[in-house]
Amino acid sequence: MLVGIAVGQIAGIASTLLVKATIRPDVVIALVVGVPSAIGMLLILFSARRWVTTLGAFILAIAPGWFGVLVMVQVVHGA
């Protein structure tokens, strides 16, 4: 899960640098938190092998890392 959080932070920084379009904050939060959480939980719930459970936990851990970077960016920019 620690690696998932680090990957989430890297993804958050990369998306902040690459995406310049104006997007509503509620849509961004739904995508950043909702999509990895849903995919990770589905993988954990329906896994038949240990490595699928591990992959689900990894994907689930991406959400808080990515969300933390986006919150930090908003705080730094004074929004």
Side-chain angles (χ1 to χ4, degrees):
M1 289 184 74
L2 185 61
V3 175
I5 291 174
V7 168
Q9 289 178 343
I10 292 169
I13 292 169
S15 67
T16 304
L17 295 174
L18 295 176
V19 177
K20 298 297 181 191
T22 303
I23 305 171
R24 291 184 8 199
D26 57 339
V27 174
V28 172
I29 291 172
L31 288 174
V32 166
V33 175
V35 172
S37 297
I39 293 171
M41 286 302 293
L42 287 173
L43 280 175
I44 290 172
L45 290 173
F46 297 116
S47 64
R49 304 220 183 261
R50 279 187 258 171
W51 69 269
V52 179
T53 306
T54 304
L55 180 66
F58 170 77
I59 293 173
L60 187 64
I62 290 174
W66 197 344
F67 183 67
V69 168
L70 294 179
V71 168
M72 179 201 58
V73 167
Q74 290 296 316
V75 168
V76 169
H77 284 288

